Amino acid sequence: MSFFSRLFPLAQQLTDYGRDQLRGDLSAGLTVGVMLIPQGMAYALIAGLPPIYGLYASLVPLAVYSLFGTSRQLAVGPVAMVSLLVAAAVGPLANGDPALYIGLTLLLSLMVGVLQFGLGVARFGFLVNFLSHPVLSGFTSAAALIIGFSQLKHLLGIDLPRSNYIHEILWAAAGRVGQIDPLTVLLGVGSILLLVGLRQLNPSIPGALVAVMTTTGLVWAFGLDEHGVSIVGSVPGGLPAPSLPPLGMENVWALTPSALAIGLVGFMESIAVAKVYAGRHRYDIDANQELIGLGLANIAGAFFSAYPTTGGFSRTAVNDEAGARTTLAGLVAAGVIALTLLLLTPLFYYLPNAVLAAIIMVAVSGLIEWKEALHLWDVDRKDLGLMALTFVATLALGIEEGILAGVIVSLIVVIYQSSTPHTAIMGRLPGTDTYRNLKRNPEALTQSNVVVARMDANLYFATASAFQDLVRRIDTQDPSLQAAVVDMYPVNRIDSTGVGALKKVIETCRRHNVALYLAGVKGPVKDMLDEAGVTRMLGEDRFFFEVSGAVDAAEADVEPTDSGVESPLPDTPA
């Protein structure tokens, strides 16, 4: 692949491009562009911005990602999750100043883009692995509830204070029940029913656009805005003019934690859906190039009035169903947004805010992952606990605190699992030279004076203690024990701490007059043992390629015993 193709993945996608692909990309681009108009305006409300900024965020970032991204179906733009994180980050710093709020939002977009681009260039795409799926599921489910309840003020037509805590929203709404506007509720609830009904009837129908057109027409025809229905009002036309976000260091430091959270969470959401569709269409996703593409999209968007964006689940599904085959579909969708900004913004004057709230509520309802919770109940209740912890922390502590708590617990789990690897005492399967875990294969044969053990992990500082414990258990349980064979095949890497642990094991075995044999030591590990003097300390004749060979040598060197006798040593947990 040439440098140009690596820099611009779209060039590689257009190789052998034909009429069928063009037809699919045009259809998908038009569909997603139409879908983005009401959806982008709705998500801007979540971010605390005027609706027009949702269209701005759907223009330049989408076009830039289409040039640099590797996912052929991913539809980039404003999403509910990132919009909520933006509001949580910028709201406390803006102090009610609309101009400052917008400026800080654009600065945040620039910071997110620089972070993602930097991580991509540094090949740090692997960092996304530290955000486990249960953590994201718990955070997503809690955030979906917060987003949904945050739209109550638009759905009910009452003024409620902005809050990221559901109980505060409900308490404030309960105190203003008498102020609820019936016409607003009728439009909002009717729109929800219309959106759900159209989705059930035919998912390819742009339900959000139908709801917007229908309710806007009703407000205009019957003058409902004069009877208490809140409308969007004047929407500025024209393409966004380039501008420089405010770059004060005080604001940069204040927004840095939020930029980290948005950058990683946005990338996680994007890469998760991108991998799904890459698998369906049998092509590869480059995680580092995805970071670069998303980073450039946010950097460019920051100079054209776009708040942070990423790939969206629902839009990507629509993009795929409508026939997208390359990221050219994204350029077509961006063109639709550009034409809307140039020609169609006056049509949104009578658009009721209740309908945008309905669009948001229906969209985020699918983010509440109750099915995942049921699945984890059956499969892994530890992961269910991790999901529940993140869910509760997000609701109780706040958006950023919730995701931070989930990440910290994930890292603790990683450290715990790394330091407590699976270990096994092994026996020979009857009639074979194969050795397996006695816990799972009780029919396996053992020798009372030769024990075979295995640790399923690399031997390094985190597992050194577990390795010593395994061998220490072996050589102190039975006075008749004469030899121990350690299957080293699972060990792909060993560090200085691991070398030290192995030397202590050799010394311990010598004190108990137990001969130690190592089987399956791989080349790089053997090189390390040679350089560290372990091979000389143990003896070259104690290394074998196979466990069976090591056991045969051990049996030849020790006093004979009857085969098939169950080992008196306790098994380690399976």
Side-chain angles (χ1 to χ4, degrees):
M1 185 184 296
S2 67
F3 172 77
F4 183 80
S5 296
R6 287 197 301 271
L7 184 61
F8 298 101
L10 178 59
Q12 177 68 23
Q13 297 171 27
L14 294 179
T15 304
D16 300 325
Y17 194 73
R19 182 178 300 175
D20 290 341
Q21 291 93 330
L22 177 60
R23 186 182 299 113
D25 284 340
L26 288 174
S27 173
L30 290 171
T31 303
V32 171
V34 168
M35 179 182 183
L36 261 171
I37 296 168
Q39 196 177 66
M41 297 176 74
Y43 289 159
L45 291 181
I46 301 176
L49 295 164
I52 189 63
Y53 282 86
L55 297 184
Y56 294 158
S58 305
L59 180 60
V60 172
L62 178 57
V64 172
Y65 176 83
S66 298
L67 295 175
F68 295 97
T70 59
S71 174
R72 304 182 182 191
Q73 282 74 39
L74 190 69
V76 169
V79 298
M81 194 71 59
V82 171
S83 300
L84 180 62
L85 288 170
V86 169
V90 177
L93 302 177
N95 295 320
D97 184 342
L100 179 59
Y101 193 103
I102 292 172
L104 291 176
T105 300
L106 301 184
L107 174 60
L108 181 60
S109 183
L110 178 62
M111 292 173 63
V112 169
V114 170
L115 169 70
Q116 291 176 330
F117 180 79
L119 291 176
V121 171
R123 315 296 291 177
F124 273 19
F126 70 89
L127 286 177
V128 72
N129 296 328
F130 289 101
L131 281 173
S132 69
H133 184 69
V135 166
L136 282 177
S137 296
F139 172 70
T140 300
S141 300
L145 289 175
I146 295 171
I147 292 169
F149 279 98
S150 72
Q151 298 306 302
L152 271 182
K153 62 180 180 180
H154 299 300
L155 192 72
L156 302 178
I158 55 179
D159 184 28
L160 297 176
R162 175 179 293 277
S163 175
N164 289 325
Y165 301 99
I166 291 177
H167 64 278
E168 290 182 356
I169 296 172
L170 291 176
W171 183 257
R176 294 171 172 81
V177 171
Q179 302 173 17
I180 293 176
D181 182 66
L183 284 176
T184 300
V185 173
L186 184 62
L187 284 173
V189 174
S191 296
I192 291 175
L193 295 176
L194 178 62
L195 290 166
V196 173
L198 289 177
R199 177 186 291 179
Q200 296 293 326
L201 181 65
N202 188 347
S204 64
I205 297 176
L209 186 64
V210 172
V212 165
M213 293 173 60
T214 302
T215 55
T216 301
L218 289 173
V219 172
W220 172 77
F222 296 100
L224 299 182
D225 56 309
E226 298 176 0
H227 295 83
V229 174
S230 175
I231 59 174
V232 169
S234 297
V235 178
L239 301 177
S243 61
L244 182 68
L247 300 176
M249 286 307 300
E250 181 180 350
N251 294 329
V252 170
W253 283 116
L255 290 172
T256 295
S258 300
L260 287 169
I262 293 172
L264 292 178
V265 171
F267 177 58
M268 272 296 294
E269 182 172 349
S270 178
I271 198 70
V273 69
K275 284 184 176 180
V276 170
Y277 289 95
R280 289 184 184 179
H281 295 279
R282 299 178 182 177
Y283 64 88
D284 295 326
I285 289 291
D286 184 337
N288 294 304
Q289 183 62 34
E290 284 297 289
L291 273 169
I292 291 173
L294 290 171
L296 290 174
N298 281 310
I299 290 172
F303 293 97
F304 289 91
S305 301
Y307 72 90
T309 57
T310 192
F313 287 96
S314 59
R315 285 194 305 274
T316 300
V318 171
N319 199 33
D320 179 61
E321 290 175 6
R325 294 296 174 264
T326 72
T327 53
L328 184 63
L331 293 176
V332 175
V336 172
I337 300 299
L339 287 175
T340 301
L341 286 168
L342 289 171
L343 303 174
L344 303 179
T345 53
L347 299 179
F348 298 116
Y349 182 89
Y350 291 100
L351 172 61
N353 287 318
V355 176
L356 296 180
I359 293 171
I360 291 169
M361 287 181 165
V362 172
V364 300
S365 64
L367 298 179
I368 303 174
E369 301 195 35
W370 58 272
K371 290 183 179 179
E372 179 68 12
L374 295 177
H375 172 70
L376 292 178
W377 175 266
D378 295 329
V379 175
D380 191 337
R381 295 189 183 179
K382 290 181 180 178
D383 275 354
L384 177 61
L386 189 58
M387 178 181 177
L389 173 68
T390 311
F391 179 82
V392 173
T394 304
L395 290 179
L397 302 177
I399 301 297
E400 295 178 3
E401 292 81 0
I403 191 64
L404 179 61
V407 171
I408 291 173
V409 174
S410 292
L411 292 176
I412 292 173
V413 170
V414 168
I415 293 170
Y416 174 77
Q417 291 178 342
S418 296
S419 61
T420 55
H422 173 261
T423 57
I425 305 299
M426 304 202 296
R428 180 174 59 82
L429 297 181
T432 73
D433 288 331
T434 301
Y435 285 77
R436 290 290 183 266
N437 186 356
L438 284 172
K439 189 76 172 182
R440 294 183 177 275
N441 301 274
E443 76 281 5
L445 304 176
T446 64
Q447 294 282 4
S448 62
N449 61 347
V450 179
V451 173
V452 183
R454 185 189 73 222
M455 182 179 75
D456 296 327
N458 291 322
L459 182 51
Y460 66 115
F461 65 91
T463 60
S465 179
F467 180 76
Q468 289 178 255
D469 289 343
L470 170 64
V471 182
R472 189 180 298 119
R473 259 196 320 274
I474 291 173
D475 63 359
T476 58
Q477 291 290 327
D478 189 352
S480 67
L481 183 66
Q482 296 176 290
V485 176
V486 178
D487 182 5
M488 296 283 286
Y489 186 77
V491 179
N492 297 311
R493 183 175 60 85
I494 186 170
D495 67 0
S496 60
T497 307
V499 169
L502 187 52
K503 286 182 177 180
K504 290 180 180 178
V505 164
I506 295 173
E507 293 171 354
T508 302
C509 287
R510 284 177 176 173
R511 284 199 306 270
H512 290 84
N513 296 317
V514 175
L516 180 65
Y517 298 80
L518 301 182
V521 179
K522 295 178 180 176
V525 176
K526 183 63 164 58
D527 293 341
M528 183 75 169
L529 297 183
D530 292 343
E531 294 172 2
V534 175
T535 303
R536 184 172 59 255
M537 181 180 181
L538 182 62
E540 188 71 51
D541 60 334
R542 297 293 180 89
F543 289 83
F544 293 85
F545 289 110
E546 302 291 341
V547 172
S548 58
V551 173
D552 290 342
E555 290 176 346
D557 291 343
V558 302
E559 297 178 6
T561 183
D562 295 332
S563 62
V565 179
E566 285 292 334
S567 170
L569 306 181
D571 296 336
T572 54

